[in-house]
Amino acid sequence: MQQEQTKKGGFTSGIGFVLAAAGSAVGLGNLWAFPFKTAENGGAAFVFLYVACVLFIGAITMICEMFIGKRAQANPVTAFKGISKKIGWVGLLAIAVPTIICIYYSVLGGYTVRFTANSFAGNANNFAAFAGSGWPVILFTALFLAFALVVVMAGVKGGIEKASKVLMPALFVLLVAVVIFVLCLGEGVSDGLKFFLVPDFSKVTFGSVLAAMGQAFYSLSLGMGTMIVYGSYTGKEINMLKSTAMICIFDTVVALLAGLAIFPSVFHFAAKAGIPPDNLKLEGMMLMFETLPKVFESIGFIGNIIEFLFFAMVVIAAVTSVISIMEVSSQFIIQKYGISRKKATACIAAILFVLSIPVGYSIGFKLNGTGKMTVFGLDWLSFLDTVTNTVLMPVCALLACVAVGWIMGPKRALAEMEEHGVRFHRFGKVVAFMLRFVVPVLIAVIEVFGVIDLVFPMGSFNLNGLGIVLVAYGILGILIGAYFLFYHKTETGTNADELLKP
């Protein structure tokens, strides 16, 4: 009966699941963080490190998280309680992390909508002005959230899966089209390709290894509940090993294509304008919203078309990511409290929208140099991003591996994985060893060095960094307390509770 319900309300095909999970993984970080880190850490040498980290950290952790959801057919709290009631609070952490991320991600999503709509009017040189405009930022954030809300309201089969089957192929086609155009620009293109891909082992340091580990971890949406939730909507007919491989490949290919679109175009612009590439802003939001519009618009009307296609692609990447992180909290509210999907998702979206308003203002103040609305020296986006990405996500992923590899134990975990269609065959012992020892240690390294870098940047003590770390672990403490007060001894629902509602 449970299997039939999963098919009815969950993913109906392997490709639908892969595209949805890949949509969760492929986000704004792929389109600006990966290309920049690759270029700054040895080009193809960094790509090699990244792929190795995907194999040794990302794939194993992803399988672990999907399995936790798949065996429970339920939200993260119920899923972790199913392993041990003592660690059900890890499920609350897996819900809290994406919810916090969604607060600021929605603002960035709003930026992408505005830049797409404004492609033919000109986006160059007005990023700071738009970010500081107040109500326009709020309006585009609302539009972005509204689109994501419509998809999540429609459910897994009729919303998330259906949208992913359209949006992810569209993203890939748009990205390939942009890459083909950029590679035909001529002057400066070869220099951009060299900057991005030619191996430079002199740039590879221990910091490069840490950067590759972190990028592999964050790029695949690990430690934030989405793979647990999406895994809970799969049946035995969906091969998790094959799906994981396809998701990792798709995510990596998109990141590489993004670099092929960005750096040749930037170097072409630099060559034509006589500007040293080092003088251009090539990192983070500034690359996406300030440098690239200048690059595209310097080409003329064709450049405006490419700019439109590029930002349309970025909107798709942002939407497919945000619907996955909205689904995490929606699933729990629906199953635990018996609220209809439409009401639950509408309430969550409304709360996220209200909380996103100060984030939008804070970014505007930062970009315009006023220094208002900061937390521990950071704008609200950077603060929330640091709390989740640097501190809480590795903790969540580490605990997922511990739950399966140690609390369940290797024999039980492998036996149950096989029952759920996850068969490692002769490599079972190797996977068990990786899950118990190698992957947790590597994730712990990401956590420890991330915290050290916050508290002791460049070797000097930073009080603001310590404050951020204490807030992050304080949130973790509150979640643990809330679990034992409110959820430890109560039922927290399953997927069947939503499916059986009249």
PDB file of all heavy atoms in Angstrom, residues 105-134:
ATOM      1  N   TYR A 105      17.944  33.617  -0.677  1.00  0.00           N
ATOM      2  CA  TYR A 105      17.978  33.125  -2.054  1.00  0.00           C
ATOM      3  C   TYR A 105      16.846  33.740  -2.870  1.00  0.00           C
ATOM      4  O   TYR A 105      16.985  33.979  -4.071  1.00  0.00           O
ATOM      5  CB  TYR A 105      17.854  31.604  -2.041  1.00  0.00           C
ATOM      6  CG  TYR A 105      18.451  30.912  -3.247  1.00  0.00           C
ATOM      7  CD1 TYR A 105      19.766  30.451  -3.219  1.00  0.00           C
ATOM      8  CD2 TYR A 105      17.714  30.703  -4.402  1.00  0.00           C
ATOM      9  CE1 TYR A 105      20.324  29.806  -4.314  1.00  0.00           C
ATOM     10  CE2 TYR A 105      18.264  30.056  -5.497  1.00  0.00           C
ATOM     11  CZ  TYR A 105      19.564  29.607  -5.447  1.00  0.00           C
ATOM     12  OH  TYR A 105      20.117  28.981  -6.527  1.00  0.00           O
ATOM     13  N   SER A 106      15.733  34.017  -2.213  1.00  0.00           N
ATOM     14  CA  SER A 106      14.592  34.625  -2.904  1.00  0.00           C
ATOM     15  C   SER A 106      14.929  36.020  -3.407  1.00  0.00           C
ATOM     16  O   SER A 106      14.462  36.436  -4.470  1.00  0.00           O
ATOM     17  CB  SER A 106      13.388  34.686  -1.961  1.00  0.00           C
ATOM     18  OG  SER A 106      13.024  33.394  -1.537  1.00  0.00           O
ATOM     19  N   VAL A 107      15.730  36.745  -2.641  1.00  0.00           N
ATOM     20  CA  VAL A 107      16.147  38.087  -3.069  1.00  0.00           C
ATOM     21  C   VAL A 107      17.029  37.983  -4.309  1.00  0.00           C
ATOM     22  O   VAL A 107      16.839  38.717  -5.293  1.00  0.00           O
ATOM     23  CB  VAL A 107      16.897  38.819  -1.934  1.00  0.00           C
ATOM     24  CG1 VAL A 107      17.367  40.193  -2.409  1.00  0.00           C
ATOM     25  CG2 VAL A 107      16.002  38.964  -0.707  1.00  0.00           C
ATOM     26  N   LEU A 108      17.982  37.060  -4.281  1.00  0.00           N
ATOM     27  CA  LEU A 108      18.832  36.851  -5.456  1.00  0.00           C
ATOM     28  C   LEU A 108      18.002  36.396  -6.652  1.00  0.00           C
ATOM     29  O   LEU A 108      18.253  36.806  -7.784  1.00  0.00           O
ATOM     30  CB  LEU A 108      19.908  35.811  -5.142  1.00  0.00           C
ATOM     31  CG  LEU A 108      20.945  36.193  -4.082  1.00  0.00           C
ATOM     32  CD1 LEU A 108      21.879  35.027  -3.808  1.00  0.00           C
ATOM     33  CD2 LEU A 108      21.731  37.418  -4.497  1.00  0.00           C
ATOM     34  N   GLY A 109      17.008  35.554  -6.388  1.00  0.00           N
ATOM     35  CA  GLY A 109      16.117  35.135  -7.461  1.00  0.00           C
ATOM     36  C   GLY A 109      15.369  36.308  -8.062  1.00  0.00           C
ATOM     37  O   GLY A 109      15.180  36.389  -9.286  1.00  0.00           O
ATOM     38  N   GLY A 110      14.960  37.234  -7.194  1.00  0.00           N
ATOM     39  CA  GLY A 110      14.303  38.445  -7.680  1.00  0.00           C
ATOM     40  C   GLY A 110      15.221  39.271  -8.560  1.00  0.00           C
ATOM     41  O   GLY A 110      14.790  39.834  -9.581  1.00  0.00           O
ATOM     42  N   TYR A 111      16.494  39.344  -8.195  1.00  0.00           N
ATOM     43  CA  TYR A 111      17.473  40.041  -9.034  1.00  0.00           C
ATOM     44  C   TYR A 111      17.510  39.425 -10.428  1.00  0.00           C
ATOM     45  O   TYR A 111      17.554  40.136 -11.442  1.00  0.00           O
ATOM     46  CB  TYR A 111      18.877  39.929  -8.428  1.00  0.00           C
ATOM     47  CG  TYR A 111      19.143  40.768  -7.205  1.00  0.00           C
ATOM     48  CD1 TYR A 111      20.355  40.667  -6.529  1.00  0.00           C
ATOM     49  CD2 TYR A 111      18.208  41.665  -6.704  1.00  0.00           C
ATOM     50  CE1 TYR A 111      20.634  41.420  -5.410  1.00  0.00           C
ATOM     51  CE2 TYR A 111      18.467  42.421  -5.584  1.00  0.00           C
ATOM     52  CZ  TYR A 111      19.680  42.294  -4.935  1.00  0.00           C
ATOM     53  OH  TYR A 111      19.948  43.042  -3.821  1.00  0.00           O
ATOM     54  N   THR A 112      17.529  38.086 -10.496  1.00  0.00           N
ATOM     55  CA  THR A 112      17.632  37.422 -11.800  1.00  0.00           C
ATOM     56  C   THR A 112      16.407  37.702 -12.663  1.00  0.00           C
ATOM     57  O   THR A 112      16.522  37.861 -13.878  1.00  0.00           O
ATOM     58  CB  THR A 112      17.812  35.898 -11.636  1.00  0.00           C
ATOM     59  OG1 THR A 112      16.617  35.315 -11.089  1.00  0.00           O
ATOM     60  CG2 THR A 112      18.988  35.572 -10.744  1.00  0.00           C
ATOM     61  N   VAL A 113      15.222  37.768 -12.039  1.00  0.00           N
ATOM     62  CA  VAL A 113      13.995  38.080 -12.786  1.00  0.00           C
ATOM     63  C   VAL A 113      14.075  39.491 -13.360  1.00  0.00           C
ATOM     64  O   VAL A 113      13.774  39.734 -14.530  1.00  0.00           O
ATOM     65  CB  VAL A 113      12.748  37.938 -11.893  1.00  0.00           C
ATOM     66  CG1 VAL A 113      11.500  38.418 -12.636  1.00  0.00           C
ATOM     67  CG2 VAL A 113      12.568  36.495 -11.446  1.00  0.00           C
ATOM     68  N   ARG A 114      14.530  40.429 -12.531  1.00  0.00           N
ATOM     69  CA  ARG A 114      14.616  41.817 -12.973  1.00  0.00           C
ATOM     70  C   ARG A 114      15.640  41.976 -14.087  1.00  0.00           C
ATOM     71  O   ARG A 114      15.393  42.669 -15.079  1.00  0.00           O
ATOM     72  CB  ARG A 114      14.979  42.712 -11.787  1.00  0.00           C
ATOM     73  CG  ARG A 114      14.864  44.199 -12.065  1.00  0.00           C
ATOM     74  CD  ARG A 114      16.164  44.780 -12.567  1.00  0.00           C
ATOM     75  NE  ARG A 114      16.087  46.228 -12.742  1.00  0.00           N
ATOM     76  CZ  ARG A 114      17.067  46.962 -13.212  1.00  0.00           C
ATOM     77  NH1 ARG A 114      18.206  46.377 -13.578  1.00  0.00           N
ATOM     78  NH2 ARG A 114      16.938  48.274 -13.337  1.00  0.00           N
ATOM     79  N   PHE A 115      16.799  41.333 -13.956  1.00  0.00           N
ATOM     80  CA  PHE A 115      17.840  41.464 -14.969  1.00  0.00           C
ATOM     81  C   PHE A 115      17.427  40.803 -16.281  1.00  0.00           C
ATOM     82  O   PHE A 115      17.832  41.251 -17.347  1.00  0.00           O
ATOM     83  CB  PHE A 115      19.163  40.891 -14.446  1.00  0.00           C
ATOM     84  CG  PHE A 115      19.983  41.901 -13.690  1.00  0.00           C
ATOM     85  CD1 PHE A 115      19.530  42.424 -12.489  1.00  0.00           C
ATOM     86  CD2 PHE A 115      21.188  42.346 -14.185  1.00  0.00           C
ATOM     87  CE1 PHE A 115      20.258  43.370 -11.792  1.00  0.00           C
ATOM     88  CE2 PHE A 115      21.944  43.288 -13.499  1.00  0.00           C
ATOM     89  CZ  PHE A 115      21.479  43.811 -12.300  1.00  0.00           C
ATOM     90  N   THR A 116      16.632  39.739 -16.204  1.00  0.00           N
ATOM     91  CA  THR A 116      16.105  39.132 -17.424  1.00  0.00           C
ATOM     92  C   THR A 116      15.135  40.085 -18.111  1.00  0.00           C
ATOM     93  O   THR A 116      15.234  40.324 -19.327  1.00  0.00           O
ATOM     94  CB  THR A 116      15.382  37.811 -17.099  1.00  0.00           C
ATOM     95  OG1 THR A 116      16.271  36.938 -16.405  1.00  0.00           O
ATOM     96  CG2 THR A 116      14.908  37.130 -18.380  1.00  0.00           C
ATOM     97  N   ALA A 117      14.203  40.628 -17.344  1.00  0.00           N
ATOM     98  CA  ALA A 117      13.194  41.526 -17.903  1.00  0.00           C
ATOM     99  C   ALA A 117      13.804  42.799 -18.467  1.00  0.00           C
ATOM    100  O   ALA A 117      13.269  43.402 -19.405  1.00  0.00           O
ATOM    101  CB  ALA A 117      12.161  41.873 -16.824  1.00  0.00           C
ATOM    102  N   ASN A 118      14.949  43.199 -17.920  1.00  0.00           N
ATOM    103  CA  ASN A 118      15.558  44.481 -18.297  1.00  0.00           C
ATOM    104  C   ASN A 118      16.715  44.315 -19.294  1.00  0.00           C
ATOM    105  O   ASN A 118      17.449  45.264 -19.550  1.00  0.00           O
ATOM    106  CB  ASN A 118      16.075  45.185 -17.034  1.00  0.00           C
ATOM    107  CG  ASN A 118      16.227  46.678 -17.218  1.00  0.00           C
ATOM    108  OD1 ASN A 118      15.281  47.351 -17.613  1.00  0.00           O
ATOM    109  ND2 ASN A 118      17.406  47.199 -16.925  1.00  0.00           N
ATOM    110  N   SER A 119      16.852  43.122 -19.864  1.00  0.00           N
ATOM    111  CA  SER A 119      18.001  42.826 -20.721  1.00  0.00           C
ATOM    112  C   SER A 119      18.125  43.771 -21.908  1.00  0.00           C
ATOM    113  O   SER A 119      19.229  44.170 -22.289  1.00  0.00           O
ATOM    114  CB  SER A 119      17.934  41.380 -21.225  1.00  0.00           C
ATOM    115  OG  SER A 119      18.080  40.467 -20.165  1.00  0.00           O
ATOM    116  N   PHE A 120      17.012  44.150 -22.504  1.00  0.00           N
ATOM    117  CA  PHE A 120      17.056  44.987 -23.710  1.00  0.00           C
ATOM    118  C   PHE A 120      17.081  46.478 -23.378  1.00  0.00           C
ATOM    119  O   PHE A 120      17.361  47.303 -24.245  1.00  0.00           O
ATOM    120  CB  PHE A 120      15.880  44.666 -24.628  1.00  0.00           C
ATOM    121  CG  PHE A 120      15.963  43.298 -25.222  1.00  0.00           C
ATOM    122  CD1 PHE A 120      15.314  42.224 -24.619  1.00  0.00           C
ATOM    123  CD2 PHE A 120      16.715  43.058 -26.361  1.00  0.00           C
ATOM    124  CE1 PHE A 120      15.403  40.954 -25.149  1.00  0.00           C
ATOM    125  CE2 PHE A 120      16.805  41.785 -26.904  1.00  0.00           C
ATOM    126  CZ  PHE A 120      16.147  40.722 -26.290  1.00  0.00           C
ATOM    127  N   ALA A 121      16.800  46.817 -22.107  1.00  0.00           N
ATOM    128  CA  ALA A 121      16.849  48.221 -21.689  1.00  0.00           C
ATOM    129  C   ALA A 121      18.224  48.589 -21.151  1.00  0.00           C
ATOM    130  O   ALA A 121      18.567  49.773 -21.074  1.00  0.00           O
ATOM    131  CB  ALA A 121      15.786  48.502 -20.635  1.00  0.00           C
ATOM    132  N   GLY A 122      19.007  47.569 -20.772  1.00  0.00           N
ATOM    133  CA  GLY A 122      20.364  47.827 -20.283  1.00  0.00           C
ATOM    134  C   GLY A 122      20.504  47.613 -18.786  1.00  0.00           C
ATOM    135  O   GLY A 122      19.906  48.344 -17.989  1.00  0.00           O
ATOM    136  N   ASN A 123      21.293  46.602 -18.413  1.00  0.00           N
ATOM    137  CA  ASN A 123      21.542  46.311 -17.000  1.00  0.00           C
ATOM    138  C   ASN A 123      22.898  46.823 -16.520  1.00  0.00           C
ATOM    139  O   ASN A 123      23.154  46.861 -15.317  1.00  0.00           O
ATOM    140  CB  ASN A 123      21.503  44.794 -16.773  1.00  0.00           C
ATOM    141  CG  ASN A 123      20.090  44.237 -16.836  1.00  0.00           C
ATOM    142  OD1 ASN A 123      19.170  44.787 -16.235  1.00  0.00           O
ATOM    143  ND2 ASN A 123      19.912  43.140 -17.581  1.00  0.00           N
ATOM    144  N   ALA A 124      23.762  47.202 -17.463  1.00  0.00           N
ATOM    145  CA  ALA A 124      25.127  47.595 -17.096  1.00  0.00           C
ATOM    146  C   ALA A 124      25.129  48.836 -16.213  1.00  0.00           C
ATOM    147  O   ALA A 124      24.357  49.776 -16.418  1.00  0.00           O
ATOM    148  CB  ALA A 124      25.950  47.847 -18.357  1.00  0.00           C
ATOM    149  N   ASN A 125      25.982  48.794 -15.200  1.00  0.00           N
ATOM    150  CA  ASN A 125      26.247  49.942 -14.323  1.00  0.00           C
ATOM    151  C   ASN A 125      25.067  50.368 -13.449  1.00  0.00           C
ATOM    152  O   ASN A 125      25.073  51.466 -12.896  1.00  0.00           O
ATOM    153  CB  ASN A 125      26.699  51.157 -15.150  1.00  0.00           C
ATOM    154  CG  ASN A 125      27.968  50.896 -15.922  1.00  0.00           C
ATOM    155  OD1 ASN A 125      28.942  50.369 -15.367  1.00  0.00           O
ATOM    156  ND2 ASN A 125      27.966  51.234 -17.209  1.00  0.00           N
ATOM    157  N   ASN A 126      24.054  49.506 -13.303  1.00  0.00           N
ATOM    158  CA  ASN A 126      22.954  49.918 -12.425  1.00  0.00           C
ATOM    159  C   ASN A 126      22.608  48.875 -11.369  1.00  0.00           C
ATOM    160  O   ASN A 126      21.519  48.894 -10.806  1.00  0.00           O
ATOM    161  CB  ASN A 126      21.703  50.271 -13.245  1.00  0.00           C
ATOM    162  CG  ASN A 126      21.133  49.100 -14.005  1.00  0.00           C
ATOM    163  OD1 ASN A 126      21.553  47.954 -13.804  1.00  0.00           O
ATOM    164  ND2 ASN A 126      20.167  49.374 -14.871  1.00  0.00           N
ATOM    165  N   PHE A 127      23.538  47.946 -11.118  1.00  0.00           N
ATOM    166  CA  PHE A 127      23.277  46.919 -10.111  1.00  0.00           C
ATOM    167  C   PHE A 127      23.097  47.537  -8.731  1.00  0.00           C
ATOM    168  O   PHE A 127      22.120  47.254  -8.024  1.00  0.00           O
ATOM    169  CB  PHE A 127      24.409  45.893 -10.103  1.00  0.00           C
ATOM    170  CG  PHE A 127      24.264  44.832  -9.037  1.00  0.00           C
ATOM    171  CD1 PHE A 127      23.041  44.247  -8.776  1.00  0.00           C
ATOM    172  CD2 PHE A 127      25.371  44.411  -8.307  1.00  0.00           C
ATOM    173  CE1 PHE A 127      22.907  43.256  -7.803  1.00  0.00           C
ATOM    174  CE2 PHE A 127      25.246  43.431  -7.337  1.00  0.00           C
ATOM    175  CZ  PHE A 127      24.014  42.855  -7.079  1.00  0.00           C
ATOM    176  N   ALA A 128      24.035  48.373  -8.330  1.00  0.00           N
ATOM    177  CA  ALA A 128      23.947  48.992  -7.003  1.00  0.00           C
ATOM    178  C   ALA A 128      22.703  49.860  -6.885  1.00  0.00           C
ATOM    179  O   ALA A 128      22.031  49.872  -5.842  1.00  0.00           O
ATOM    180  CB  ALA A 128      25.202  49.815  -6.722  1.00  0.00           C
ATOM    181  N   ALA A 129      22.378  50.581  -7.968  1.00  0.00           N
ATOM    182  CA  ALA A 129      21.191  51.444  -7.940  1.00  0.00           C
ATOM    183  C   ALA A 129      19.926  50.612  -7.767  1.00  0.00           C
ATOM    184  O   ALA A 129      19.036  50.966  -6.971  1.00  0.00           O
ATOM    185  CB  ALA A 129      21.108  52.266  -9.227  1.00  0.00           C
ATOM    186  N   PHE A 130      19.833  49.490  -8.495  1.00  0.00           N
ATOM    187  CA  PHE A 130      18.644  48.640  -8.355  1.00  0.00           C
ATOM    188  C   PHE A 130      18.599  47.998  -6.972  1.00  0.00           C
ATOM    189  O   PHE A 130      17.553  47.978  -6.315  1.00  0.00           O
ATOM    190  CB  PHE A 130      18.627  47.560  -9.423  1.00  0.00           C
ATOM    191  CG  PHE A 130      17.576  46.514  -9.173  1.00  0.00           C
ATOM    192  CD1 PHE A 130      16.227  46.818  -9.333  1.00  0.00           C
ATOM    193  CD2 PHE A 130      17.922  45.238  -8.756  1.00  0.00           C
ATOM    194  CE1 PHE A 130      15.247  45.874  -9.074  1.00  0.00           C
ATOM    195  CE2 PHE A 130      16.956  44.293  -8.505  1.00  0.00           C
ATOM    196  CZ  PHE A 130      15.617  44.600  -8.663  1.00  0.00           C
ATOM    197  N   ALA A 131      19.738  47.461  -6.510  1.00  0.00           N
ATOM    198  CA  ALA A 131      19.766  46.792  -5.209  1.00  0.00           C
ATOM    199  C   ALA A 131      19.355  47.731  -4.084  1.00  0.00           C
ATOM    200  O   ALA A 131      18.775  47.299  -3.088  1.00  0.00           O
ATOM    201  CB  ALA A 131      21.158  46.228  -4.943  1.00  0.00           C
ATOM    202  N   GLY A 132      19.640  49.015  -4.264  1.00  0.00           N
ATOM    203  CA  GLY A 132      19.285  49.992  -3.237  1.00  0.00           C
ATOM    204  C   GLY A 132      17.967  50.696  -3.480  1.00  0.00           C
ATOM    205  O   GLY A 132      17.644  51.665  -2.784  1.00  0.00           O
ATOM    206  N   SER A 133      17.176  50.196  -4.434  1.00  0.00           N
ATOM    207  CA  SER A 133      15.943  50.903  -4.813  1.00  0.00           C
ATOM    208  C   SER A 133      14.757  50.609  -3.911  1.00  0.00           C
ATOM    209  O   SER A 133      13.718  51.252  -4.015  1.00  0.00           O
ATOM    210  CB  SER A 133      15.574  50.544  -6.258  1.00  0.00           C
ATOM    211  OG  SER A 133      15.326  49.148  -6.384  1.00  0.00           O
ATOM    212  N   GLY A 134      14.874  49.624  -3.012  1.00  0.00           N
ATOM    213  CA  GLY A 134      13.795  49.367  -2.063  1.00  0.00           C
ATOM    214  C   GLY A 134      12.648  48.572  -2.650  1.00  0.00           C
ATOM    215  O   GLY A 134      12.752  47.361  -2.862  1.00  0.00           O
TER     216      GLY A 134
END
